[in-house]
């Protein structure tokens, strides 16, 4: 009996020691997905280091468990989706510029307007002014928005150049709107607004204009469309020194509408579509 009592106390002491040792249970260990080192969306950058864009693909880089195969911080399907949207946006943007703006002679604001201004007054070839201004804009964007933004912008820049080349190899696909400059200004603005909006929604830019506008937006907190309008109006004011007021007026219409459309496309979501649909239904019920 004394041996049994001793053994009982010994077992009890060992059991108590195990409970007080604080050894972690294997089921309570942290989920690997919680410590995977994925970037927090609250830091204002996407998975690729670019600006935070209100798009469903922003959260795609965060895996729900162990690390998965990623390309530029995105799962392969989301990477392909982002490339596809950049291509679509670049195609729409360049189609409008080639088939409307270039045909009707409606001038542009931003970098293109500055290139035309420098060529007219100082005789500096566009082949020199354009890359210099683009490089300066991208240098600012690199400092403000980060290297990831420049990576996606390189994709967009190649896409824009490729689609320009494609449209130039074909005859113009829209009617000549030279005799209807108001329609040309509005239609051209829609092409530019939708195309550029899709590109910057993916954290990229289609040119120095976009990089500059996004950098100003990041610094000032202004909406991107307002930044586009600010830069475009500044350049159009300079263009008044050599372009008739009537043509500048139609250019003003173009940049005003395109800036608003860019904001709408950049911030649009499925919830907004549903809200707009519901608003239309209520209007129809009220008329009935």
């Amino acid at each position: 009996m004394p041996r049994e009592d001793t053994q009982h106390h010994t077992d009890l002491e060992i059991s108590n020691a195990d409970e007080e040792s604080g050894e972690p249970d294997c089921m309570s260990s942290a989920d690997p997905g919680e410590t995977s080192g994925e970037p927090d969306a609250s830091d204002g950058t996407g998975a690729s280091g670019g600006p935070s864009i209100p798009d469903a693909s922003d959260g795609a880089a965060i895996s729900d468990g162990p690390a998965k195969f990623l390309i530029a911080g995105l799962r392969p399907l989301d990477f392909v989706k982002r490339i596809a949207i950049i291509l679509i946006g670049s195609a729409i943007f360049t189609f409008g510029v080639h088939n409307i703006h270039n045909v009707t002679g409606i001038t542009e604001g931003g970098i293109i307007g500055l290139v035309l201004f420098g060529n007219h007054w100082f005789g500096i070839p566009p082949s020199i002014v354009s890359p210099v201004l683009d490089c300066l804009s991208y240098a600012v964007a690199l400092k403000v928005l980060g290297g990831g933004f420049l990576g996606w912008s390189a994709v967009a820049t190649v896409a824009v150049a490729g689609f320009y080349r494609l449209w130039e190899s074909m005859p113009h696909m829209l009617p000549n709107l030279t005799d209807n400059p108001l329609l040309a200004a509005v239609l051209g603005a829609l092409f530019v607004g939708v195309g550029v909006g899709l590109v910057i929604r993916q954290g990229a830019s289609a040119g120095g204009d976009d990089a500059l506008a996004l950098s100003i937006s990041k610094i000032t907190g202004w909406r991107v469309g307002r930044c586009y309008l600010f830069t475009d109006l500044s350049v159009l004011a300079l263009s008044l020194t050599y372009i008739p007021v009537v043509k500048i007026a139609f250019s003003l219409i173009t940049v005003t509408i395109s800036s608003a459309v860019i904001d709408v496309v950049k911030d649009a979501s499925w919830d907004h579509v549903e809200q707009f649909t519901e608003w239309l239904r209520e209007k129809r019920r009220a008329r009935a």
Side-chain angles (χ1 to χ4, degrees):
M1 291 297 293
R3 291 177 58 89
E4 294 177 358
D5 290 342
T6 303
Q7 183 66 32
H8 174 73
H9 289 301
T10 303
D11 293 340
L12 183 60
E13 290 172 1
I14 294 174
S15 176
N16 291 337
D18 289 339
E19 294 177 0
E20 295 173 0
S21 63
E23 290 293 329
D25 186 79
C26 61
M27 297 300 293
S28 64
S29 60
D31 186 357
E34 298 175 0
T35 58
S36 61
E38 294 294 339
D40 187 1
S42 63
D43 64 4
T45 60
S48 61
S52 179
I53 303 297
D55 182 60
S57 62
D58 280 353
I62 303 178
S63 58
D64 298 326
K68 299 179 180 179
F69 177 70
L70 302 177
I71 305 175
L74 298 172
R75 288 175 290 189
L77 184 60
D78 297 308
F79 178 82
V80 172
K81 174 185 174 184
R82 181 164 290 190
I83 293 290
I85 295 176
I86 290 176
L87 291 176
I88 293 171
S90 300
I92 295 173
F93 160 59
T94 54
F95 182 87
V97 172
H98 177 71
N99 288 281
I100 299 177
H101 291 77
N102 289 353
V103 174
T104 60
I106 295 177
T107 190
E108 297 283 335
I111 300 297
I112 297 177
L114 284 177
V115 169
L116 297 175
F117 178 84
N119 179 252
H120 179 84
W121 286 115
F122 305 104
I124 306 175
S127 59
I128 296 177
V129 180
S130 181
V132 168
L133 293 177
D134 279 340
C135 288
L136 290 175
S137 298
Y138 280 122
V140 174
L142 176 62
K143 179 69 174 178
V144 176
L145 302 175
F149 169 79
L150 291 187
W152 288 109
S153 296
V155 175
T157 300
V158 172
V160 167
F163 279 111
Y164 267 134
R165 180 60 179 163
L166 175 63
W167 304 137
E168 289 170 356
S169 66
M170 301 179 180
H172 292 293
M173 301 180 189
L174 295 177
N176 190 331
L177 300 175
T178 303
D179 296 332
N180 197 339
L182 179 59
L183 178 59
V186 174
L187 190 59
L190 293 177
F191 275 103
V192 172
V194 172
V196 173
L198 287 174
V199 172
I200 68 172
R201 185 184 175 97
Q202 304 309 310
S205 74
D209 305 63
D210 307 334
L212 183 60
L214 290 169
S215 299
I216 295 174
S217 176
K218 181 73 172 181
I219 295 171
T220 63
W222 291 355
R223 293 178 66 85
V224 174
R226 184 180 180 184
C227 298
Y228 274 105
L229 190 59
F230 171 76
T231 56
D232 287 339
L233 291 179
S234 300
V235 174
L236 289 179
L238 293 174
S239 301
L240 281 171
T241 59
Y242 70 99
I243 295 178
V245 176
V246 175
K247 283 194 173 183
I248 291 293
F250 290 115
S251 297
L252 179 61
I253 293 173
T254 291
V255 299
T256 302
I257 295 176
S258 64
S259 298
V261 174
I262 287 171
D263 264 341
V264 171
V265 174
K266 184 183 76 69
D267 297 330
S269 67
W270 183 248
D271 290 339
H272 295 147
V273 174
E274 291 180 339
Q275 291 171 6
F276 180 71
T277 304
E278 184 61 28
W279 177 80
L280 289 178
R281 290 174 182 171
E282 291 178 357
K283 285 290 185 181
R284 291 174 182 173
R285 293 194 193 106
R287 291 177 182 175

